[in-house]
Amino acid sequence: MDSRRTSVVEKSLTAIATNSKKSAYYLAAMRPRQWTKNLVVFAAPLFAFSINVQSLLGSLLAFVLFCCASSGFYLINDIVDVESDRQHPVKCKRPIAAGLVSIRVATVMALLLLGGALIFGWLRSPHLGAAITAYALLQVAYNLRLKRMVILDVGAIATGFVLRAYAGAAATSITLSSWFLMCTAMLALFLGIEKRKAELRLAQLKGNKPRSVLKYYSLPLLGRMENVVTTGTVLTYALWSSGPYLHGAPTSWMLLTLPFVLYGIFRYQLLSDPQQISTYSDNHDPEETGRSERPEEVLLKDLPILITVIGWIITCFLILWLRKQGIIE
């Protein structure tokens, strides 16, 4: 009798362990590290100084829906590219390519995630539903064509971030400043260019160009593009933070946050600098170098960038609190 009970317990524990592993594989296939990109939806209430329970809940809903939509497309991409991923030294470890998640299950997950995001988005707000729909159409266009079209590929990446920011405003019924939208677009273009620059340098180090669009780019060209959008990013943020006289931030005290933005941009440029990547790759695996190729990796792993973001957020909240107390205007 005891042995039978022991056998039942062992089978139950084995089943629990198996289900836990499957759940971990399903979660990994959704690429949760990429969800950090969707934190842009919280920018709208923060930039508008509209921090309350209602705005936070609305932004949280937009964040969850964009995480579902983006994960749905990651699953679709991994399904379509499963054979080529299996030949790649790094991508072969992805759950679908490694056979840890079946294509049938991945397809069902993708449909549920995308369908759920679109349905709940339209139910919450027509503007939010339109933003998620536009994002979905953009992803389809990007994967079918735009990612192979020089300059337009970077524009598509930037548009995705702008749609996230717009979705955050739509979910909270906040009217966005034109300076905020321009700054978001410039910063998104900056990240897209830095991503291509890091990819190109890593491709040169490894002697191949995995993205076909990279053959149209050169480091001098990307450097010139970088100079334009860097200037645009700093100027639009400075004009926004100058205050209500320029139809920007609610208070000109937001200029105190400008040093954080400047340092963050310069630090990101350092990480994507060709010389920096070459030096780092001498003693490291090339797949681990050039972190600016993956913005989510920078936010999660680069301590100076993380401290800068936290410092910016704390300063914003401090200015907001002092303004509410009537200490500053």
Side-chain angles (χ1 to χ4, degrees), residues 130-144:
I132 298 175
T133 301
Y135 174 79
L137 294 174
L138 176 66
Q139 292 302 306
V140 172
Y142 179 79
N143 287 297
L144 290 179

Side-chain angles (χ1 to χ4, degrees), residues 133-299:
T133 301
Y135 174 79
L137 294 174
L138 176 66
Q139 292 302 306
V140 172
Y142 179 79
N143 287 297
L144 290 179
R145 182 63 180 170
L146 292 180
K147 68 180 181 181
R148 291 182 288 274
M149 300 180 69
V150 65
I151 299 177
L152 292 182
D153 62 322
V154 177
I157 294 173
T159 303
F161 281 98
V162 174
L163 287 173
R164 289 175 173 93
Y166 176 79
T172 53
S173 301
I174 291 175
T175 301
L176 293 175
S177 162
S178 57
W179 292 121
F180 167 77
L181 285 174
M182 290 177 64
C183 183
T184 302
M186 288 291 123
L187 182 59
L189 280 171
F190 170 79
L191 293 174
I193 292 170
E194 294 299 305
K195 177 181 175 67
R196 287 292 181 262
K197 190 169 74 170
E199 287 176 340
L200 179 59
R201 185 53 182 156
L202 287 172
Q204 291 175 346
L205 290 173
K206 293 185 290 185
N208 59 64
K209 295 185 179 181
R211 289 183 183 273
S212 59
V213 75
L214 290 179
K215 66 184 179 182
Y216 300 108
Y217 286 112
S218 67
L219 291 177
L221 171 62
L222 290 170
R224 292 192 294 270
M225 294 170 64
E226 177 188 58
N227 291 336
V228 172
V229 298
T230 300
T231 303
T233 302
V234 174
L235 283 177
T236 52
Y237 186 85
L239 290 169
W240 171 82
S241 59
S242 295
Y245 292 107
L246 294 177
H247 305 288
T251 172
S252 59
W253 283 90
M254 282 301 293
L255 282 168
L256 292 176
T257 64
L258 183 56
F260 292 103
V261 175
L262 287 171
Y263 178 81
I265 289 174
F266 294 154
R267 174 66 184 178
Y268 207 102
Q269 286 180 316
L270 173 66
L271 295 176
S272 68
D273 183 74
Q275 185 62 40
Q276 174 76 3
I277 294 175
S278 299
T279 302
Y280 190 82
S281 64
D282 289 340
N283 301 313
H284 295 77
D285 184 348
E287 294 295 337
E288 297 299 322
T289 61
R291 285 173 291 171
S292 56
E293 179 191 356
R294 303 176 293 274
E296 70 284 353
E297 295 276 333
V298 174
L299 182 59

Side-chain angles (χ1 to χ4, degrees), residues 297-323:
E297 295 276 333
V298 174
L299 182 59
L300 293 173
K301 292 186 177 182
D302 189 72
L303 185 58
I305 289 286
L306 185 59
I307 292 174
T308 301
V309 172
I310 294 173
W312 181 85
I313 293 174
I314 291 174
T315 305
C316 287
F317 274 100
L318 180 60
I319 293 172
L320 174 60
W321 181 82
L322 291 174
R323 186 169 180 268

